[in-house]
Amino acid sequence: MAYRPEPDRDSREWWERIARHEFAVQRCDICGTTRFPARAFCPACRSEAWHWQDVEPEGRVESWIVNHQAFVPGRRQPYVVVMVRLAAVPGCLVYGNWHGERPPEPGERVRASFDRIDETLTLVNWTPAGSLDPHPHQRTSFR
Ligand SMILES: [Zn+2]
């Protein structure tokens, strides 16, 4: 496996929702600010009142890291973890495994898919959105 998250007290419910294929962020009940990752307080107004809001699992690639360490035999390497700025919630950045045939590009549109690993963990993968590849000449094997 690539990027294995460690759910904590605040993020556990988010991961439970991901396991049910529900993609949501927290929204403050008082000022409406959305936030991710999950935390107990609103960063804008300090309120503890919030609820989950479902959003489209779409966004644009903000940046990414390439991990050259491989712990699982047979897994293609290197694997890439992307940081995606959600379209519905511009202030929110979500990490996930890159799931494309080529490296990501800055600002490209991506969509999340859910990758069930085991009973307790489902990961978020990000794949290029849209059927047209804007840079077909760069469609090469990614190693
Ligand atoms: Zn607030």
Side-chain angles (χ1 to χ4, degrees):
M1 184 194 322
Y3 166 63
R4 175 124 196 165
E6 295 293 335
D8 60 18
R9 182 196 64 185
D10 292 330
S11 67
R12 188 172 309 280
E13 191 175 343
W14 191 81
W15 288 107
E16 290 171 356
R17 284 176 167 265
I18 290 298
R20 300 195 299 266
H21 295 191
E22 296 172 14
F23 197 93
V25 296
Q26 287 174 288
R27 178 183 285 276
C28 175
D29 286 347
I30 304 303
C31 73
T33 298
T34 49
R35 61 186 190 263
F36 181 89
R39 67 191 74 149
F41 293 87
C42 174
C45 74
R46 295 292 196 179
S47 170
E48 293 180 60
W50 59 272
H51 63 276
W52 292 106
Q53 175 174 314
D54 290 325
V55 296
E56 281 296 313
E58 295 177 338
R60 290 184 183 274
V61 172
E62 181 87 2
S63 65
W64 61 88
I65 59 171
V66 179
N67 194 322
H68 294 276
Q69 294 179 305
F71 299 106
V72 181
R75 182 180 176 84
R76 190 180 68 173
Q77 56 175 305
Y79 68 85
V80 177
V81 174
V82 289
M83 191 165 73
V84 172
R85 186 171 294 277
L86 292 179
V89 191
C92 288
L93 295 168
V94 181
Y95 290 93
N97 293 307
W98 175 249
H99 207 249
E101 295 297 314
R102 52 170 175 74
E105 294 172 19
E108 81 167 292
R109 292 178 56 229
V110 290
R111 186 169 180 86
S113 59
F114 302 99
D115 185 11
R116 180 185 159 94
I117 302 299
D118 56 38
E119 281 187 14
T120 60
L121 181 64
T122 296
L123 294 179
V124 176
N125 289 336
W126 294 99
T127 54
S131 55
L132 292 176
D133 187 336
H135 301 285
H137 60 283
Q138 291 182 358
R139 184 181 284 282
T140 55
S141 177
F142 179 33
R143 296 193 66 85

